[in-house]
PDB file of all heavy atoms in Angstrom:
ATOM      1  N   GLY A 220     -44.425  -0.289  11.205  1.00 80.00           N
ATOM      2  CA  GLY A 220     -44.361   0.248   9.841  1.00 80.00           C
ATOM      3  C   GLY A 220     -44.689  -0.767   8.755  1.00 80.00           C
ATOM      4  O   GLY A 220     -44.765  -0.436   7.581  1.00 80.00           O
ATOM      5  N   TRP A 223     -47.856   0.044   6.534  1.00 80.00           N
ATOM      6  CA  TRP A 223     -47.732   1.095   5.508  1.00 80.00           C
ATOM      7  C   TRP A 223     -46.870   0.647   4.360  1.00 80.00           C
ATOM      8  O   TRP A 223     -47.155   0.947   3.212  1.00 80.00           O
ATOM      9  CB  TRP A 223     -47.194   2.388   6.128  1.00 80.00           C
ATOM     10  CG  TRP A 223     -48.033   2.785   7.282  1.00 80.00           C
ATOM     11  CD1 TRP A 223     -47.662   2.861   8.582  1.00 80.00           C
ATOM     12  CD2 TRP A 223     -49.441   3.075   7.241  1.00 80.00           C
ATOM     13  NE1 TRP A 223     -48.741   3.191   9.355  1.00 80.00           N
ATOM     14  CE2 TRP A 223     -49.846   3.324   8.563  1.00 80.00           C
ATOM     15  CE3 TRP A 223     -50.382   3.157   6.223  1.00 80.00           C
ATOM     16  CZ2 TRP A 223     -51.144   3.647   8.893  1.00 80.00           C
ATOM     17  CZ3 TRP A 223     -51.673   3.473   6.542  1.00 80.00           C
ATOM     18  CH2 TRP A 223     -52.057   3.718   7.866  1.00 80.00           C
ATOM     19  N   ARG A 224     -45.795  -0.073   4.714  1.00 81.00           N
ATOM     20  CA  ARG A 224     -44.913  -0.551   3.641  1.00 81.00           C
ATOM     21  C   ARG A 224     -45.691  -1.425   2.670  1.00 81.00           C
ATOM     22  O   ARG A 224     -45.586  -1.318   1.465  1.00 81.00           O
ATOM     23  CB  ARG A 224     -43.737  -1.354   4.227  1.00 81.00           C
ATOM     24  CG  ARG A 224     -42.541  -0.486   4.563  1.00 81.00           C
ATOM     25  CD  ARG A 224     -41.301  -1.332   4.777  1.00 81.00           C
ATOM     26  NE  ARG A 224     -41.424  -2.236   5.898  1.00 81.00           N
ATOM     27  CZ  ARG A 224     -41.289  -1.879   7.176  1.00 81.00           C
ATOM     28  NH1 ARG A 224     -41.010  -0.631   7.496  1.00 81.00           N
ATOM     29  NH2 ARG A 224     -41.401  -2.769   8.150  1.00 81.00           N
ATOM     30  N   ARG A 227     -49.351   0.822   1.392  1.00 88.00           N
ATOM     31  CA  ARG A 227     -49.339   2.245   1.024  1.00 88.00           C
ATOM     32  C   ARG A 227     -49.952   2.495  -0.357  1.00 88.00           C
ATOM     33  O   ARG A 227     -50.639   3.484  -0.568  1.00 88.00           O
ATOM     34  CB  ARG A 227     -47.883   2.755   1.091  1.00 88.00           C
ATOM     35  CG  ARG A 227     -47.638   4.120   0.498  1.00 88.00           C
ATOM     36  CD  ARG A 227     -48.345   5.224   1.282  1.00 88.00           C
ATOM     37  NE  ARG A 227     -48.258   6.514   0.602  1.00 88.00           N
ATOM     38  CZ  ARG A 227     -49.094   6.918  -0.349  1.00 88.00           C
ATOM     39  NH1 ARG A 227     -50.097   6.145  -0.745  1.00 88.00           N
ATOM     40  NH2 ARG A 227     -48.954   8.097  -0.903  1.00 88.00           N
ATOM     41  N   PHE A 256     -50.898  16.712   8.155  1.00 81.00           N
ATOM     42  CA  PHE A 256     -49.790  15.751   8.055  1.00 81.00           C
ATOM     43  C   PHE A 256     -50.189  14.452   7.371  1.00 81.00           C
ATOM     44  O   PHE A 256     -49.420  13.497   7.349  1.00 81.00           O
ATOM     45  CB  PHE A 256     -49.265  15.403   9.456  1.00 81.00           C
ATOM     46  CG  PHE A 256     -48.896  16.598  10.270  1.00 81.00           C
ATOM     47  CD1 PHE A 256     -49.701  17.017  11.318  1.00 81.00           C
ATOM     48  CD2 PHE A 256     -47.745  17.317   9.990  1.00 81.00           C
ATOM     49  CE1 PHE A 256     -49.371  18.127  12.070  1.00 81.00           C
ATOM     50  CE2 PHE A 256     -47.394  18.427  10.740  1.00 81.00           C
ATOM     51  CZ  PHE A 256     -48.221  18.835  11.780  1.00 81.00           C
ATOM     52  N   ARG A 258     -50.445  13.075   4.486  1.00 80.00           N
ATOM     53  CA  ARG A 258     -49.594  12.349   3.531  1.00 80.00           C
ATOM     54  C   ARG A 258     -48.328  11.819   4.197  1.00 80.00           C
ATOM     55  O   ARG A 258     -47.825  10.757   3.848  1.00 80.00           O
ATOM     56  CB  ARG A 258     -49.197  13.251   2.368  1.00 80.00           C
ATOM     57  CG  ARG A 258     -50.265  13.292   1.311  1.00 80.00           C
ATOM     58  CD  ARG A 258     -49.953  14.343   0.259  1.00 80.00           C
ATOM     59  NE  ARG A 258     -51.184  14.794  -0.335  1.00 80.00           N
ATOM     60  CZ  ARG A 258     -51.807  14.160  -1.321  1.00 80.00           C
ATOM     61  NH1 ARG A 258     -51.285  13.080  -1.845  1.00 80.00           N
ATOM     62  NH2 ARG A 258     -52.942  14.590  -1.793  1.00 80.00           N
ATOM     63  N   THR A 259     -47.798  12.589   5.136  1.00 80.00           N
ATOM     64  CA  THR A 259     -46.569  12.166   5.808  1.00 80.00           C
ATOM     65  C   THR A 259     -46.853  11.013   6.760  1.00 80.00           C
ATOM     66  O   THR A 259     -46.084  10.055   6.845  1.00 80.00           O
ATOM     67  CB  THR A 259     -45.981  13.344   6.625  1.00 80.00           C
ATOM     68  OG1 THR A 259     -46.274  14.538   5.940  1.00 80.00           O
ATOM     69  CG2 THR A 259     -44.511  13.165   6.852  1.00 80.00           C
ATOM     70  N   ILE A 260     -47.966  11.140   7.467  1.00 77.00           N
ATOM     71  CA  ILE A 260     -48.289  10.094   8.444  1.00 77.00           C
ATOM     72  C   ILE A 260     -48.387   8.739   7.759  1.00 77.00           C
ATOM     73  O   ILE A 260     -47.794   7.761   8.192  1.00 77.00           O
ATOM     74  CB  ILE A 260     -49.626  10.404   9.149  1.00 77.00           C
ATOM     75  CG1 ILE A 260     -49.465  11.596  10.073  1.00 77.00           C
ATOM     76  CG2 ILE A 260     -50.110   9.205   9.935  1.00 77.00           C
ATOM     77  CD1 ILE A 260     -50.777  12.069  10.654  1.00 77.00           C
ATOM     78  N   PHE A 261     -49.120   8.745   6.664  1.00 75.00           N
ATOM     79  CA  PHE A 261     -49.346   7.468   5.995  1.00 75.00           C
ATOM     80  C   PHE A 261     -48.281   7.245   4.928  1.00 75.00           C
ATOM     81  O   PHE A 261     -48.569   7.022   3.762  1.00 75.00           O
ATOM     82  CB  PHE A 261     -50.751   7.434   5.398  1.00 75.00           C
ATOM     83  CG  PHE A 261     -51.808   7.513   6.459  1.00 75.00           C
ATOM     84  CD1 PHE A 261     -52.571   8.652   6.628  1.00 75.00           C
ATOM     85  CD2 PHE A 261     -52.017   6.456   7.328  1.00 75.00           C
ATOM     86  CE1 PHE A 261     -53.529   8.745   7.626  1.00 75.00           C
ATOM     87  CE2 PHE A 261     -52.972   6.537   8.328  1.00 75.00           C
ATOM     88  CZ  PHE A 261     -53.726   7.676   8.481  1.00 75.00           C
ATOM     89  N   SER A 262     -47.051   7.333   5.347  1.00 73.00           N
ATOM     90  CA  SER A 262     -45.953   7.103   4.411  1.00 73.00           C
ATOM     91  C   SER A 262     -44.845   6.354   5.139  1.00 73.00           C
ATOM     92  O   SER A 262     -44.861   6.239   6.370  1.00 73.00           O
ATOM     93  CB  SER A 262     -45.408   8.426   3.875  1.00 73.00           C
ATOM     94  OG  SER A 262     -44.619   9.031   4.874  1.00 73.00           O
ATOM     95  N   GLU A 263     -43.911   5.911   4.393  1.00 67.00           N
ATOM     96  CA  GLU A 263     -42.778   5.143   4.915  1.00 67.00           C
ATOM     97  C   GLU A 263     -42.052   5.899   6.029  1.00 67.00           C
ATOM     98  O   GLU A 263     -41.608   5.329   7.003  1.00 67.00           O
ATOM     99  CB  GLU A 263     -41.821   4.887   3.749  1.00 67.00           C
ATOM    100  CG  GLU A 263     -40.653   4.008   4.085  1.00 67.00           C
ATOM    101  CD  GLU A 263     -40.851   2.605   3.566  1.00 67.00           C
ATOM    102  OE1 GLU A 263     -41.691   2.396   2.684  1.00 67.00           O
ATOM    103  OE2 GLU A 263     -40.159   1.726   4.060  1.00 67.00           O
ATOM    104  N   THR A 264     -41.964   7.227   5.848  1.00 72.00           N
ATOM    105  CA  THR A 264     -41.179   8.015   6.801  1.00 72.00           C
ATOM    106  C   THR A 264     -42.052   8.649   7.883  1.00 72.00           C
ATOM    107  O   THR A 264     -41.587   9.503   8.633  1.00 72.00           O
ATOM    108  CB  THR A 264     -40.443   9.147   6.045  1.00 72.00           C
ATOM    109  OG1 THR A 264     -41.417   9.843   5.264  1.00 72.00           O
ATOM    110  CG2 THR A 264     -39.350   8.612   5.145  1.00 72.00           C
ATOM    111  N   GLY A 265     -43.290   8.224   7.941  1.00 74.00           N
ATOM    112  CA  GLY A 265     -44.229   8.895   8.846  1.00 74.00           C
ATOM    113  C   GLY A 265     -44.174   8.431  10.285  1.00 74.00           C
ATOM    114  O   GLY A 265     -44.896   8.948  11.133  1.00 74.00           O
ATOM    115  N   GLY A 266     -43.291   7.456  10.561  1.00 72.00           N
ATOM    116  CA  GLY A 266     -43.247   6.851  11.893  1.00 72.00           C
ATOM    117  C   GLY A 266     -43.175   7.850  13.030  1.00 72.00           C
ATOM    118  O   GLY A 266     -43.898   7.720  14.017  1.00 72.00           O
ATOM    119  N   LYS A 267     -42.311   8.855  12.870  1.00 74.00           N
ATOM    120  CA  LYS A 267     -42.091   9.808  13.973  1.00 74.00           C
ATOM    121  C   LYS A 267     -43.349  10.620  14.257  1.00 74.00           C
ATOM    122  O   LYS A 267     -43.749  10.775  15.406  1.00 74.00           O
ATOM    123  CB  LYS A 267     -40.952  10.768  13.600  1.00 74.00           C
ATOM    124  CG  LYS A 267     -39.606  10.243  14.067  1.00 74.00           C
ATOM    125  CD  LYS A 267     -38.579  11.340  14.007  1.00 74.00           C
ATOM    126  CE  LYS A 267     -37.200  10.716  14.228  1.00 74.00           C
ATOM    127  NZ  LYS A 267     -36.182  11.349  13.423  1.00 74.00           N
ATOM    128  N   ILE A 268     -43.954  11.123  13.174  1.00 76.00           N
ATOM    129  CA  ILE A 268     -45.171  11.929  13.366  1.00 76.00           C
ATOM    130  C   ILE A 268     -46.285  11.047  13.912  1.00 76.00           C
ATOM    131  O   ILE A 268     -47.037  11.434  14.796  1.00 76.00           O
ATOM    132  CB  ILE A 268     -45.602  12.590  12.031  1.00 76.00           C
ATOM    133  CG1 ILE A 268     -44.525  13.565  11.602  1.00 76.00           C
ATOM    134  CG2 ILE A 268     -46.930  13.307  12.173  1.00 76.00           C
ATOM    135  CD1 ILE A 268     -44.854  14.345  10.370  1.00 76.00           C
ATOM    136  N   MET A 269     -46.330   9.831  13.373  1.00 79.00           N
ATOM    137  CA  MET A 269     -47.343   8.880  13.868  1.00 79.00           C
ATOM    138  C   MET A 269     -47.211   8.694  15.359  1.00 79.00           C
ATOM    139  O   MET A 269     -48.195   8.711  16.086  1.00 79.00           O
ATOM    140  CB  MET A 269     -47.101   7.510  13.222  1.00 79.00           C
ATOM    141  CG  MET A 269     -47.880   7.312  11.999  1.00 79.00           C
ATOM    142  SD  MET A 269     -48.604   5.690  12.109  1.00 79.00           S
ATOM    143  CE  MET A 269     -48.499   5.242  10.440  1.00 79.00           C
ATOM    144  N   ALA A 270     -45.956   8.514  15.807  1.00 78.00           N
ATOM    145  CA  ALA A 270     -45.718   8.278  17.231  1.00 78.00           C
ATOM    146  C   ALA A 270     -46.079   9.536  18.016  1.00 78.00           C
ATOM    147  O   ALA A 270     -46.720   9.456  19.070  1.00 78.00           O
ATOM    148  CB  ALA A 270     -44.268   7.886  17.461  1.00 78.00           C
TER     149      ALA A 270
END
Side-chain angles (χ1 to χ4, degrees):
W223 306 116
R224 271 195 297 282
R227 169 66 188 85
F256 307 106
R258 276 172 207 277
T259 327
I260 290 172
F261 296 108
S262 76
E263 185 103 18
T264 52
K267 269 194 190 143
I268 296 184
M269 267 226 216

